[in-house]
Amino acid sequence: MANHSQFGFQDASSPIMEELMQFHDHALMVALAICSLVLYILTLMLTEKLSSSSVDAQEIELVWTILPAVVLVMLALPSLRILYMMDEINEPDLTLKAIGHQWYWTYKYTDLKELTFDSYMVPTSDLPLGHFRLLEVDHRVIVPTESKVRVIVTADDVLHSWAVPSLGVKTDAIPGRLNQTAFLASRPGVYYGQCSEICGANHSFMPIVVEATPLANFENWSSLLSS
């Protein structure tokens, strides 16, 4: 859960989000090295007497051609690796369908019979003590931990976006089209997200709450709702 003074990411709760955070730190180190080199060259130009006799022009051209290419490869390879990891969805343990409406979500557990519900934001006047304003919902998405969950995302009216930062997922919900993403919750907890696509007047009031629970608890919950 993010706080007002937080500058970094929320704590990672899935392997994909851990990879994204590591790549973020890697890209920042590359950017820091580039900025340091540029600052050093600028300082050298301002403090030293310029001379073209010490360095050959061909050597300079070789350096400023090869060095940026090496930097791009250092950024591209890990980025492509993460993109392929996020796109690969093989044999999920659970499939969940999320349908965006103005301004609430409908969830369908396609592997379980007749398990469908709508998820609305809890109004501030009805919010229990200790719960988060504008983030709590009346029906949470319950998923088992250490299980690969596939989420099929679509919309019923306008563009929406199903996003949960701690799990490293963000997928656009487009009317007439099915998009999919996947995540694996590595530990039990409650993870908050929001619609991340401007979808109308109440865009700020359609939160997403995913509760990860052990498999035994999930089976008990699903059997109670299905019965």
Side-chain angles (χ1 to χ4, degrees):
M1 182 65 197
N3 54 63
H4 294 291
S5 59
Q6 182 172 335
F7 287 97
F9 292 105
Q10 298 180 26
D11 292 339
S13 300
S14 70
I16 289 295
M17 190 59 195
E18 292 176 0
E19 293 284 344
L20 289 171
M21 292 177 67
Q22 290 178 6
F23 176 70
H24 170 266
D25 296 340
H26 169 70
L28 279 185
M29 290 300 101
V30 173
L32 179 62
I34 294 173
C35 292
S36 301
L37 178 62
V38 172
L39 181 62
Y40 170 74
I41 294 174
L42 287 175
T43 305
L44 206 63
M45 291 176 62
L46 294 174
T47 57
E48 298 292 333
K49 184 178 179 181
L50 297 179
S51 175
S52 60
S53 59
S54 57
V55 181
D56 188 19
Q58 291 183 349
E59 296 178 0
I60 297 178
E61 291 178 0
L62 190 64
V63 169
W64 74 36
T65 301
I66 294 179
L67 193 59
V70 172
V71 171
L72 289 176
V73 170
M74 291 175 59
L75 293 174
L77 291 181
S79 175
L80 289 174
R81 172 177 169 270
I82 296 175
L83 283 174
Y84 278 108
M85 289 174 60
M86 295 175 67
D87 191 54
E88 189 173 342
I89 305 174
N90 295 327
E91 299 181 358
D93 301 310
L94 178 69
T95 299
L96 171 71
K97 187 175 183 180
I99 306 172
H101 307 272
Q102 289 181 309
W103 287 272
Y104 65 97
W105 294 95
T106 297
Y107 296 103
K108 296 182 180 180
Y109 288 79
T110 58
D111 298 324
L112 307 174
K113 292 183 179 180
E114 299 180 0
L115 188 47
T116 302
F117 56 86
D118 296 330
S119 180
Y120 290 86
M121 185 193 74
V122 177
T124 304
S125 57
D126 301 332
L127 194 66
L129 185 64
H131 288 241
F132 297 108
R133 176 178 172 271
L134 303 183
L135 286 177
E136 193 55 66
V137 296
D138 56 356
H139 293 95
R140 294 175 173 177
V141 176
I142 310 296
V143 298
T145 56
E146 299 295 339
S147 300
K148 195 161 188 178
V149 180
R150 175 175 59 184
V151 185
I152 299 174
V153 184
T154 187
D156 187 50
D157 35 44
V158 299
L159 291 176
H160 300 279
S161 183
W162 201 82
V164 184
S166 292
L167 299 175
V169 291
K170 182 180 183 296
T171 303
D172 288 341
I174 303 173
R177 175 171 177 168
L178 296 177
N179 291 331
Q180 69 174 358
T181 185
F183 65 87
L184 186 149
S186 55
R187 61 176 180 268
V190 180
Y191 309 109
Y192 294 89
Q194 288 178 301
C195 176
S196 298
E197 189 74 47
I198 297 177
C199 55
N202 292 332
H203 158 69
S204 302
F205 307 115
M206 50 183 305
I208 302 160
V209 182
V210 178
E211 182 176 345
T213 184
L215 180 60
N217 295 350
F218 173 78
E219 291 175 344
N220 293 334
W221 170 82
S222 61
S223 60
L224 286 174
L225 289 185
S226 300
S227 58

